[in-house]
């Protein structure tokens, strides 16, 4: 079926890819059975969807390691899982970016490490659980701050309405507990302050100092978006 469809890509003219003609090519000795053709179409669609998932996994080393660690732990291959856990953390640290996705990937691996420890050695549990808790906070704050900045920006520019119930508590927490060592939190927190307190130019000046400092730790697109917030403040 795929070979037939590829021949007529991208036009897919009705007269050459009608159900009748496609079925005849697939099953030349049988009478038209639309249900049978639908089964073949469904199977092909599922194969294509699985292929797309495989392509995404091929570009995401952390996701591959995550599923491998989960499979090894499930099969009680703990020694092998420990080896891959160490490799996974090493590979993640090689990544120069320290953006919100890095925090999310780190959280995934910390959770895998905790689950592995809980299945084999309770002595490491306290340490792993503390690290897991810390990275849950970091991942949540990175993502929450990034999208809160986007939301407030849209509210300011488009007059859209959004509900932000946790924002006062987050701001209060970050004021008392700075996360200057986490680039994705530090930058978006400063962007958020420029949006929340535009009359205080100190936030903008501090943002200008932060962005060049961590230029290499965000993707080009994300850094462009961050500078965009600074430009919008000036406007």
């Amino acid at each position: 079926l795929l070979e037939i469809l590829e021949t007529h890509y991208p036009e897919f003219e009705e007269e050459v890819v009608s159900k009748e003609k496609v079925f005849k090519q697939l099953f030349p000795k049988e009478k038209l059975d639309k249900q049978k053709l639908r089964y073949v179409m469904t199977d092909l669609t599922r194969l294509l969807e699985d292929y797309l998932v495989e392509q995404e996994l091929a570009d995401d080393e952390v996701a591959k390691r995550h599923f491998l660690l989960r499979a090894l732990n499930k099969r009680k291959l703990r020694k092998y899982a420990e080896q891959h856990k160490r490799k996974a953390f090493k590979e993640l640290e090689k990544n120069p970016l320290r953006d919100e996705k890095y925090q999310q990937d780190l959280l995934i691996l910390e959770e895998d490490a905790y689950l592995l420890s809980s299945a084999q050695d309770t002595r490491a549990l306290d340490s792993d659980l503390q690290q897991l808790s810390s990275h849950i906070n970091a991942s949540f704050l990175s993502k929450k701050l990034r999208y809160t900045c986007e939301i407030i920006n849209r509210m300011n520019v488009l007059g859209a309405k959004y509900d932000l119930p946790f924002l006062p508590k987050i701001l209060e927490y970050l004021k008392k507990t700075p996360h200057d060592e986490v680039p994705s939190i530090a930058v978006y927190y400063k962007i958020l302050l420029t949006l929340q307190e535009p009359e205080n130019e100190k936030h903008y000046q501090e943002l200008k100092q932060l962005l060049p400092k961590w230029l290499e730790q965000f993707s080009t697109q994300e850094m462009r978006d961050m500078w965009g917030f600074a430009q919008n403040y000036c406007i």
Side-chain angles (χ1 to χ4, degrees):
L1 177 58
L2 179 60
E3 290 173 356
I4 292 169
L5 294 175
E6 282 183 321
T7 304
H8 303 292
Y9 171 85
E11 290 83 8
F12 299 118
E13 296 175 359
E14 178 62 29
E15 60 269 19
V16 292
V17 292
S18 65
K19 289 183 173 63
E20 292 78 10
K21 291 193 175 182
V22 171
F23 188 88
K24 190 173 183 61
Q25 288 178 273
L26 289 173
F27 309 104
K29 297 181 180 180
E30 299 181 27
K31 291 183 178 180
L32 175 63
D33 183 340
K34 290 186 178 181
Q35 185 61 44
K36 187 172 183 177
L37 180 59
R38 278 196 288 270
Y39 286 144
V40 178
M41 293 166 64
T42 299
D43 289 344
L44 176 59
T45 300
R46 286 174 177 168
L47 284 169
L48 289 170
E49 290 169 349
D50 288 344
Y51 171 75
L52 292 175
V53 171
E54 290 292 338
Q55 289 295 99
E56 288 299 308
L57 280 175
D59 296 330
D60 194 331
E61 288 298 322
V62 172
K64 284 195 290 187
R65 293 286 181 185
H66 163 62
F67 287 116
L68 177 58
L69 284 170
R70 190 167 69 175
L72 294 173
N73 196 21
K74 190 183 296 183
R75 289 160 178 78
K76 303 188 187 310
L77 299 172
R78 306 282 158 63
K79 183 177 179 181
Y80 200 43
E82 279 291 339
Q83 294 173 2
H84 280 280
K85 182 188 79 173
R86 290 192 291 271
K87 288 180 181 178
F89 279 108
K90 283 182 181 179
E91 286 175 359
L92 181 61
E93 290 310 307
K94 287 179 184 177
N95 182 358
L97 301 183
R98 291 297 179 269
D99 53 6
E100 174 257 322
K101 186 180 185 307
Y102 167 83
Q103 295 298 331
Q104 183 174 318
D105 288 343
L106 187 57
L107 172 59
I108 288 171
L109 293 182
E110 288 290 355
E111 186 172 19
D112 288 334
Y114 168 73
L115 293 174
L116 187 59
S117 295
S118 65
Q120 62 181 339
D121 184 2
T122 56
R123 290 174 297 177
L125 277 180
D126 287 344
S127 173
D128 286 347
L129 194 54
Q130 180 59 61
Q131 288 190 72
L132 177 59
S133 177
S134 298
H135 287 118
I136 287 172
N137 292 340
S139 180
F140 167 76
L141 287 170
S142 296
K143 191 180 290 287
K144 184 68 175 177
L145 288 171
R146 179 179 182 180
Y147 288 108
T148 297
C149 290
E150 292 287 348
I151 286 172
I152 293 177
N153 190 51
R154 290 183 66 83
M155 290 171 67
N156 291 340
V157 174
L158 303 176
K161 298 294 183 183
Y162 294 89
D163 186 23
L164 297 169
F166 301 115
L167 184 55
K169 290 292 184 183
I170 290 173
L171 290 171
E172 181 182 345
Y173 170 73
L174 288 174
K175 189 174 183 180
K176 295 177 180 177
T177 314
H179 283 60
D180 296 338
E181 76 286 357
V182 183
S184 55
I185 295 178
V187 172
Y188 282 113
Y189 174 55
K190 200 57 64 177
I191 290 173
L192 182 57
L193 289 178
T194 66
L195 293 166
Q196 289 284 92
E197 303 173 5
E199 71 286 349
N200 188 347
E201 194 176 318
K202 177 186 175 184
H203 302 316
Y204 165 71
Q205 297 298 341
E206 291 175 347
L207 177 61
K208 277 208 307 180
Q209 294 176 357
L210 281 179
L211 291 177
K213 177 182 176 182
W214 284 318
L215 186 65
E216 303 299 324
Q217 297 191 341
F218 294 96
S219 68
T220 302
Q221 181 58 55
E222 188 167 0
M223 183 56 74
R224 186 180 289 120
D225 292 341
M226 289 172 167
W227 280 109
F229 279 109
Q231 286 179 311
N232 287 343
Y233 178 85
C234 294
I235 293 169

